[in-house]
């Protein structure tokens, strides 16, 4: 059993108001974690504020060295960290290790990019010097989710620390020991107060979002993102939001239905559907719908997945499936809550879905494939864009002109053609609508974590 503590200004503290995390694989308790109260939030923010000037004054190359040493420590601890992650949120250990490797890679990238993140000179009067200089924003609150807890945290923490900010980190209450172990690996490489960590749930997150920080960076659900944006509007903090999605997959006529079904299965069922860019709704052309559905049912039967994060989430996922069935969808696979401990839920396929069903309209975040049959590619494109979200979309088509039209017309931050996952390193998009705002990834995250100062320097009268 992990016993999580807060890290406040370089000192570990037991905290109070503890709650228990249950292993979603077998229902056993795995972690107990405290919840930081407002005075602990204030203490962590004050420590971050106090540590910030010296960290900002540290040479970027020295900050990068610290990040590299921290990345090495995380890499060496991959096995233990993956076991904790698997026990808290159900990701199979090998997949957890792969996502930790991604996090380590991100820390190293920001260690390399931090010292290269400069401003520019301006073409002003030759007798003057005109510069645009990026400066750290100050104190960054990093509030993160459970579904990819190490990789997401490494991104926000790496970019914030590389650019001279100090950080108050609040990992998800559904994976607190994962966040606590990650902090324990990173913090020894940083001066006290540069990285603090607070355990706790929504109330702790809300107290942090309302506190005197300069940036609130949140990766999580749309509802939380909106609450954070409202809180930050009162304090003036900059807000960075990477939030929920309901990503469409459009399957064109003329594609190989078996290949399309394999792509759909990967997009829907990977990490038991608990991926921000999971495929959440499928618009399939009537010409291939029947063969596609037959192949997708086969894929569902063969796909091995871990459990959902917890029973509370399973109730929400299953509720959407029941709602769809009540409204006339047909269950082709899964859709039944299994007996026994844990939070397992089978790969599920629904046909005959409509846009009004919650499983199509909202984010499901589970292994559920709601399939809508459309009469044309254009109808699929239109309906795909009609969404309160705008994170990502995938199109499967053999037509270059339709592929081209799709990426131009889809109102999402990311568009993928003929592959549900993939993309070059460093890709960062602006999510649209309820999916968030700002760059949450890539080199551009360094821009978000800094504020630009314009400097105009003239010689004093009489010359230099
Ligand atoms: P969540 O928003 O419920 O929780 C995320 C974090 O926010 C947690 O640390 C939580 O304690 C905190 N929080 C909750 N209420 C808060 C409040 N009122 N004020 C401040 N903080 C608060 O999200 P989750 O369930 O942990 O994660 C799943 C969601 O994250 C999904 O919607 C998924 O799409 C999204 N996600 C998005 C991306 C992306 O890059 N767009 C990546 C991963 C996950």
């Amino acid at each position: 059993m992990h016993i999580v503590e807060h890290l406040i200004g370089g000192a570990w503290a037991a905290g109070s108001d503890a709650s228990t995390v249950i292993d979603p694989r077998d229902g056993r308790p795995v972690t107990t974690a405290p919840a930081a109260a407002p005075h602990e939030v204030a203490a962590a923010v004050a420590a971050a504020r106090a540590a910030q000037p010296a960290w900002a004054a540290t040479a970027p190359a020295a900050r990068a060295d610290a990040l590299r040493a921290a990345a090495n420590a995380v890499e060496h601890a991959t096995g233990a960290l993956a076991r904790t992650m698997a026990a808290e949120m159900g990701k199979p250990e090998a997949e957890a290790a792969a996502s930790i490797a991604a996090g380590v890679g991100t820390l190293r990238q920001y260690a390399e990019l931090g010292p290269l993140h400069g401003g520019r000179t301006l073409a002003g009067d030759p007798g003057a010097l005109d510069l645009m200089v990026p400066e750290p924003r100050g104190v960054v609150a990093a509030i993160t989710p459970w579904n990819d807890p190490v990789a997401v945290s490494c991104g926000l923490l790496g970019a914030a620390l590389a650019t001279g900010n100090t950080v108050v980190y609040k990992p998800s209450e559904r994976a607190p020991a994962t966040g606590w172990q990650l902090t324990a690996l990173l913090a020894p490489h940083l001066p006290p107060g540069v990285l603090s960590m607070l355990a706790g749930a929504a109330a702790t997150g809300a107290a942090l979002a309302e506190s005197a920080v300069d940036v609130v960076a949140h990766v999580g659900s749309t509802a939380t993102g909106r609450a954070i944006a409202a809180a930050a509007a009162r304090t003036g903090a900059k807000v960075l939001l990477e939030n929920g999605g309901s990503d469409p997959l459009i399957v064109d006529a003329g594609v190989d239905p078996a290949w399309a079904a394999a792509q759909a299965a990967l997009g829907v069922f990977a990490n038991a559907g608990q991926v921000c860019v999971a495929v959440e709704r499928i618009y399939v052309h009537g010409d291939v719908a029947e063969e596609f559905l037959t192949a997708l049912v086969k894929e569902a039967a063969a796909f091995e997945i871990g459990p959902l994060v917890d029973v509370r989430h399973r109730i929400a996922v299953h509720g959407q499936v029941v709602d769809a069935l009540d409204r006339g969808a047909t269950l082709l696979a899964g859709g039944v809550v299994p007996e026994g401990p844990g939070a397992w839920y089978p790969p599920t396929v629904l046909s005959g879905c409509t846009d009004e069903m919650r499983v199509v309209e909202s984010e499901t975040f589970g292994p559920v494939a709601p399939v809508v049959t459309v009469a044309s590619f254009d109808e699929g494109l239109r309906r795909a864009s009609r969404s309160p979200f705008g994170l990502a979309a995938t199109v499967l088509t053999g037509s270059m002109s339709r592929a081209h039209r799709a990426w131009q017309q889809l109102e999402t931050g990311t568009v993928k053609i003929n592959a549900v996952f993939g993309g070059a390193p460093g890709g960062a998009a602006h999510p649209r609508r309820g999916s968030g705002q700002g760059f949450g990834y890539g080199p551009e995250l360094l821009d978000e974590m800094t504020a630009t100062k314009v400097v105009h320097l003239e010689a004093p009268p009489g010359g230099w």
Side-chain angles (χ1 to χ4, degrees):
M1 182 97 153
H2 304 293
I3 315 249
V4 169
E5 298 195 329
H6 308 303
L7 177 64
I8 300 176
W12 291 98
S16 58
D17 201 10
S19 56
T20 302
V21 177
I22 302 296
D23 188 328
R25 299 170 301 184
D26 57 17
R28 291 197 199 144
V30 44
T31 299
T32 134
H39 72 276
E40 289 161 318
V41 173
V45 172
R49 182 69 64 199
Q52 203 270 329
W55 185 240
T58 301
R63 293 199 297 254
D65 284 343
L67 270 187
R68 268 189 288 270
N72 291 344
V74 177
E75 186 173 52
H76 287 134
T78 297
L81 200 51
R83 276 192 294 285
T84 304
M85 197 196 295
E88 287 195 319
M89 50 73 66
K91 204 190 259 290
E93 260 177 59
E95 287 176 33
S99 78
I100 293 165
V104 168
T106 308
L107 287 174
R108 289 183 177 143
Q109 280 172 7
Y110 286 128
E112 294 304 310
L113 291 172
L116 303 180
H117 185 248
R120 60 191 175 97
T121 56
L122 301 170
D125 187 310
L129 188 60
D130 290 272
L131 306 169
M132 289 172 69
V133 186
E135 296 183 326
R137 286 188 174 268
V139 178
V140 174
I143 304 179
T144 58
W146 50 267
N147 68 312
D148 198 0
V150 172
V152 166
S153 301
C154 285
L156 294 181
L157 269 49
L161 294 169
T163 43
N165 300 282
T166 53
V167 175
V168 179
Y169 168 43
K170 198 205 80 61
S172 168
E173 65 276 20
R174 281 156 147 167
T178 307
W180 164 70
Q181 283 180 352
L182 177 66
T183 305
L185 293 162
L186 301 176
H189 304 282
L190 302 164
V194 167
L195 173 64
S196 288
M197 188 219 83
L198 300 169
T204 301
L208 183 56
E210 285 164 11
S211 70
V213 297
D214 301 289
V215 178
V216 187
H218 170 250
V219 180
S221 69
T222 299
T224 301
R226 296 221 158 118
I228 286 173
R234 290 189 289 272
T235 67
K238 178 190 166 80
V239 176
L240 263 179
L241 301 175
E242 293 294 326
N243 292 158
S246 175
D247 289 6
L249 170 71
I250 302 166
V251 181
D252 197 5
V255 301
D256 172 3
W259 166 74
Q263 284 289 312
L266 183 64
V268 175
F269 303 138
N271 204 30
Q274 303 165 121
V275 179
C276 56
V277 291
V279 169
E280 293 259 345
R281 52 202 168 106
I282 299 171
Y283 295 96
V284 59
H285 194 290
D287 286 1
V288 285
E290 209 178 308
E291 285 176 276
F292 170 79
L293 281 166
T294 305
L296 185 55
V297 168
K298 268 197 209 138
E299 293 282 344
F303 213 99
E304 282 179 31
I305 58 173
L308 292 171
V309 65
D310 58 20
V311 168
R312 176 161 64 99
H313 186 48
R314 181 169 70 178
I315 290 168
V317 169
H318 188 59
Q320 290 197 8
V321 172
V322 169
D323 171 75
L325 295 175
D326 285 350
R327 289 167 187 252
T330 304
L331 184 65
L332 300 182
V336 177
V337 176
E339 300 278 329
W344 298 85
Y345 198 78
T348 296
V349 179
L350 297 167
S351 68
C353 292
T354 62
D355 293 343
E356 291 67 41
M357 295 173 179
R358 281 200 289 133
V359 74
V360 173
E361 193 191 31
S362 322
E363 184 175 51
T364 307
F365 227 53
V368 181
V371 181
V372 180
T373 304
V374 291
S376 68
F377 182 77
D378 281 350
E379 184 191 343
L381 214 51
R382 240 185 356 262
R383 289 170 73 171
S385 274
R386 221 186 293 145
S387 168
F389 301 101
L391 195 59
T394 305
V395 171
L396 305 181
T397 179
S399 155
M400 200 61 196
S401 62
R402 282 196 286 266
H404 202 53
R405 217 145 32 83
W407 79 256
Q408 289 172 324
Q409 287 178 19
L410 285 164
E411 297 168 17
T412 55
T414 300
V415 177
K416 294 160 286 180
I417 311 283
N418 293 330
V420 283
F421 294 135
H430 281 139
R432 314 292 155 90
R433 299 196 279 261
S435 293
Q437 61 188 52
F439 284 113
Y441 302 91
E444 287 78 6
L445 183 53
L446 299 172
D447 299 337
E448 302 279 12
M449 293 291 182
T450 50
T452 301
K453 180 176 279 175
V454 165
V455 180
H456 173 71
L457 182 63
E458 282 193 30
W464 294 96

